[in-house]
Amino acid sequence: MRMSVYFAPTMKEAPAEAEVPSHKLLLRAGYIRKLASGIYEYLPLGLRVLRKIENIIRKYMDEAGALEVLLPILTPAELWQETGRWDVYGKELFRLKDRKNRDFALGPTHEETITDLVRKNIHSYKDLPKNFYQIQTKFRDEARPRYGLIRGREFIMKDAYSFDISEEMAVKSYEIMKETYHKIFSSLGLDYIMVEADVGAIGGKYSHEFVVKVPNGEAHIVYCEKCGYAANVETAKYEFELDKLPPEDEKPLEKVYTPNVSSVEDVAKFLNVDTKKIVKTLVYILSDGRKVAVLIRGDRELNETKLINYFKVLDCRLATSEELKEMNIVEGFVGPIGLNLPIYADISVKDLHNFVIGANEKDYHFINVNIPRDFEPIEFVDFSTARENDPCPVCKAPLKETTGLEVGHIFLLGTKYSEAMKAYFVDKDGKEKPIIMGCYGIGVSRLMAAAVEQSYDENGIIWPEEIAPFKLMILPLNIKDEKIKNKAEEIYKKALDLGIEVLIDDRNISAGAKFKDADLIGIPYRIVIGRKLKDGIIEFQKRTGEKEEISINDIDNLLEKLK
Ligand code: ATP
Ligand code: MG
């Protein structure tokens, strides 16, 4: 391809709204353009990267025996109503009406659609197992579309769905996908980690996320260098037994005056005790309307995902100041004694002695509180967010914490969709049973951004070879010099004949401008033809920085190696 006729509009500066490196660089290097919030156009370079990612995914999905289909983006509301997700999905679902006023949604995911296909066409154990996948545009009206391709409202996903006749077979399908994902993400040239993920209502060990490690990523994970355990901070079990304070004799309960001190740090300072001895009382409103009080030790953070799973609700939030007032609760001094709410406690509060709580009275706290003497929670539950240095739940070594981008998610669904939609099969014993399902997603367009987040420098992108839009770039530094131009054209032609994906910068612009663009675009290898050509020398450069002068007689060897 020739830069003189290509379309890779580079920019000196990224728009101010681009905050993260991948967003800035993909815009500046001419890979993508924004049409509207969370909606992007893929320019020729961007599309090439996307296709490379898709092809690697396709190769391993096909190898694993999954069958590629392409389902409609426009999906009728009836399907979503069958599973209840027409309501559950809320505002994230893009809804529209046809000319006859019938409701439709733009598919954010395709469990309903694929289950409909299967229930209509697969009826016997003889037709199972099956795994269908597609690579397709998805639509989600995200509350906060941001970071360019990382969180879009229109994005490309690979989604796959497995259908099995038994739990055991479904687990097998799940394990095959897990292995396949490892192959895919290693082949993409990414540094990633597989973590145990939140399984929601299903339980068990069958949800994993694949996270590309990047600084400041949205996913927070903890992992153990010693035994290899890795999990989402929302999922990681908190080993409180190893983080407990030593036992103490119970002291008498006392109410103390604590004027204007309500934050954990302030109370700890005022009373001169460790934050571990302050117990926070949080009032939560669950999405089903229930109100609960949750206690947690002052040094720990409550994890709302754990809370949502425990109470089996869709969402939860802290009560507002107004709501606390309506409940006659004194904000800043909430405590479990005398509180008219169901009280639950994080396990960090278990076996804690002589601790401090709010007294439900302005400017007062109780000290020397003890369970069960002074109050008793309904249950101790693991609500804690895991963090660096917590003991590993498997081998007890201190955990490490890192952030990343979730690029893949696999999930054993069980019979949630097949039962709701009556996708049954007739088993060997002649009985009708619901099909056991799994679902497996990969954020294809997010991967493009994740690769950049992992590999760039101050001058631009440094693509992993596996997904670079081109492998080689040829830079004739001065096109007006016939010798340079002709040599460049000769090498370009040879590279094309060898099947190398090559881009030649045949534009009549300065050498400096060519280098700038080449750095920005980030093609892995470069052949630079400049003044030294008269001495029979050209330069071979890698985008990672290494440079080497080579004789023009060695060009054939070099190209052969790049093939
Ligand atoms: P997230 O927690 O990031 O919102 P999710 O749990 O909603 O992700 P899934 O429904 O499992 O995501 O979708 C499968 C994959 O699609 C994700 O692992 C992610 O890589 C990608 N993905 C999800 N939402 C978006 C989005 N808004 N923009 C780009 N990619 C996305
Ligand atoms: Mg989401």
Side-chain angles (χ1 to χ4, degrees):
M1 186 51 70
R2 295 174 177 280
M3 282 291 266
S4 58
V5 294
Y6 206 50
F7 183 61
T10 54
M11 298 188 277
K12 274 212 177 69
E13 299 286 338
E17 63 180 38
E19 295 167 61
V20 296
S22 64
H23 193 190
K24 286 184 192 159
L25 289 172
L26 289 170
L27 283 167
R28 282 188 57 210
Y31 283 78
I32 58 168
R33 282 293 180 267
K34 177 174 144 179
L35 177 64
S37 168
I39 306 177
Y40 288 86
E41 297 145 342
Y42 299 96
L43 309 191
L45 280 174
L47 187 62
R48 285 184 76 97
V49 175
L50 211 55
R51 292 284 182 255
K52 294 241 159 127
I53 297 172
E54 289 176 7
N55 288 342
I56 289 174
I57 294 174
R58 190 172 276 119
K59 173 176 172 222
Y60 290 106
M61 289 302 290
D62 290 347
E63 238 178 66
L67 305 169
E68 188 168 4
V69 292
L70 188 57
L71 303 172
I73 288 171
L74 198 55
T75 56
E78 291 75 33
L79 284 185
W80 298 92
Q81 282 154 354
E82 277 189 62
T83 59
R85 287 214 286 186
W86 184 255
D87 297 323
V88 170
Y89 234 106
K91 289 190 169 167
E92 214 170 294
L93 194 64
F94 270 106
R95 299 157 204 258
L96 65 164
K97 284 182 189 293
D98 71 5
R99 62 169 72 203
K100 294 193 173 134
N101 217 27
R102 285 180 296 224
D103 287 311
F104 285 82
L106 300 180
T109 176
H110 277 79
E111 283 83 4
E112 281 83 353
T113 314
I114 193 80
T115 307
D116 181 63
L117 176 76
V118 166
R119 73 174 165 188
K120 285 176 178 158
N121 296 283
I122 289 182
H123 306 291
S124 158
Y125 73 94
K126 288 181 201 150
D127 303 322
L128 294 169
K130 283 278 176 292
N131 185 335
F132 295 109
Y133 80 97
Q134 62 172 343
I135 296 175
Q136 190 209 42
T137 301
K138 297 280 189 266
F139 295 84
R140 293 182 185 180
D141 200 357
E142 296 273 357
R144 281 194 297 159
R146 55 188 175 157
Y147 307 147
L149 299 185
I150 291 174
R151 187 165 296 283
R153 296 196 297 162
E154 171 177 329
F155 60 97
I156 299 171
M157 197 204 281
K158 186 283 301 175
D159 46 329
Y161 308 89
S162 63
F163 297 85
D164 279 282
I165 59 168
S166 67
E167 188 87 31
E168 198 190 339
M169 296 288 284
V171 167
K172 217 181 241 170
S173 299
Y174 182 88
E175 293 299 332
I176 291 173
M177 277 299 108
K178 203 199 257 170
E179 280 319 302
T180 304
Y181 272 42
H182 280 300
K183 287 181 192 162
I184 291 171
F185 294 118
S186 346
S187 301
L188 289 168
L190 298 170
D191 179 17
Y192 74 96
I193 183 167
M194 182 186 80
V195 303
E196 282 176 21
D198 171 37
V199 284
I202 290 187
K205 276 168 110 180
Y206 299 108
S207 177
H208 289 89
E209 282 172 8
F210 291 77
V211 176
V212 168
K213 289 190 198 163
V214 302
N216 307 316
E218 285 183 327
H220 289 256
I221 54 184
V222 284
Y223 62 98
C224 176
E225 281 180 329
K226 201 167 152 216
C227 75
Y229 170 84
N232 234 310
V233 292
E234 288 137 21
T235 318
K237 186 166 160 261
Y238 169 46
E239 286 293 330
F240 89 102
E241 288 290 347
L242 296 167
D243 192 31
K244 275 201 307 209
L245 292 178
E248 286 174 29
D249 290 336
E250 291 186 1
K251 294 180 195 161
L253 180 72
E254 227 180 286
K255 187 149 92 181
V256 294
Y257 183 52
T258 51
N260 292 320
V261 280
S262 62
S263 77
V264 168
E265 285 70 32
D266 290 349
V267 176
K269 219 184 269 167
F270 186 85
L271 297 172
N272 196 23
V273 292
D274 191 338
T275 52
K276 284 189 175 183
K277 287 199 126 177
I278 314 289
V279 169
K280 296 183 268 193
T281 305
L282 307 167
V283 178
Y284 266 94
I285 315 274
L286 308 177
S287 55
D288 61 4
R290 273 182 290 171
K291 300 179 179 92
V292 294
V294 184
L295 310 186
I296 188 161
R297 215 171 60 192
D299 65 317
R300 306 289 312 180
E301 285 299 321
L302 181 126
N303 191 279
E304 294 188 349
T305 306
K306 285 185 176 178
L307 197 74
I308 286 168
N309 290 342
Y310 175 77
F311 288 108
K312 297 196 168 45
V313 289
L314 290 170
D315 211 353
C316 70
R317 60 177 178 82
L318 282 167
T320 61
S321 301
E322 284 71 49
E323 285 165 335
L324 290 176
K325 242 180 235 152
E326 278 164 26
M327 289 184 263
N328 279 325
I329 293 173
V330 190
E331 192 172 3
F333 299 89
V334 193
I337 298 181
L339 191 66
N340 192 19
L341 284 176
I343 292 162
Y344 294 84
D346 177 61
I347 44 173
S348 59
V349 178
K350 207 170 165 185
D351 302 332
L352 196 61
H353 299 284
N354 302 322
F355 56 90
V356 180
I357 54 173
N360 291 321
E361 198 178 320
K362 186 159 168 37
D363 292 339
Y364 283 92
H365 279 83
F366 280 119
I367 61 167
N368 300 330
V369 181
N370 288 283
I371 296 173
R373 186 192 66 186
D374 304 321
F375 74 95
E376 215 170 343
I378 295 171
E379 201 173 347
F380 290 100
V381 185
D382 177 2
F383 287 135
S384 269
T385 306
R387 63 176 180 216
E388 180 120 355
N389 290 326
D390 273 356
C392 167
V394 178
C395 76
K396 319 295 179 222
L399 290 171
K400 292 249 180 269
E401 191 174 345
T402 181
T403 67
L405 285 174
E406 179 199 319
V407 291
H409 192 178
I410 58 176
F411 207 99
L412 193 61
L413 289 167
T415 56
K416 180 174 170 192
Y417 294 92
S418 50
E419 290 204 74
M421 296 181 67
K422 302 198 169 55
Y424 295 122
F425 71 100
V426 178
D427 208 350
K428 281 180 203 130
D429 56 12
K431 285 197 183 124
E432 259 202 345
K433 296 173 187 168
I435 304 179
I436 323 276
M437 290 173 61
C439 68
Y440 316 92
I442 292 182
V444 178
S445 43
R446 183 182 283 185
L447 270 170
M448 184 162 149
V452 178
E453 291 293 333
Q454 221 167 50
S455 184
Y456 68 93
D457 64 14
E458 66 280 7
N459 299 320
I461 301 172
I462 306 174
W463 287 110
E465 218 178 299
E466 295 84 345
I467 58 172
F470 291 91
K471 189 165 190 184
L472 174 66
M473 197 154 178
I474 298 173
L475 302 189
L477 293 185
N478 180 4
I479 282 284
K480 285 184 204 142
D481 182 325
E482 281 295 319
K483 285 204 177 101
I484 290 179
K485 185 179 165 194
N486 292 341
K487 186 46 100 184
E489 289 292 337
E490 182 193 320
I491 299 172
Y492 176 59
K493 190 160 181 309
K494 274 188 187 167
L496 281 180
D497 288 345
L498 286 168
I500 297 170
E501 293 176 300
V502 56
L503 189 60
I504 181 170
D505 196 346
D506 57 345
R507 295 175 298 175
N508 187 12
I509 56 170
S510 74
K514 284 188 186 181
F515 279 122
K516 268 218 165 65
D517 277 355
D519 279 345
L520 196 53
I521 291 170
I523 311 294
Y525 303 105
R526 231 181 257 174
I527 291 175
V528 181
I529 306 150
R531 256 183 245 136
K532 284 194 176 166
L533 178 68
K534 63 179 185 321
D535 309 319
I537 287 179
I538 56 164
E539 198 164 73
F540 178 60
Q541 303 182 342
K542 292 188 183 160
R543 176 60 183 86
T544 45
E546 300 100 286
K547 296 178 178 172
E548 134 186 51
E549 290 193 337
I550 61 166
S551 153
I552 43 170
N553 301 325
D554 286 337
I555 280 287
D556 289 349
N557 280 340
L558 178 70
L559 291 178
E560 207 49 52
K561 267 189 238 154
L562 288 175
K563 206 164 72 170

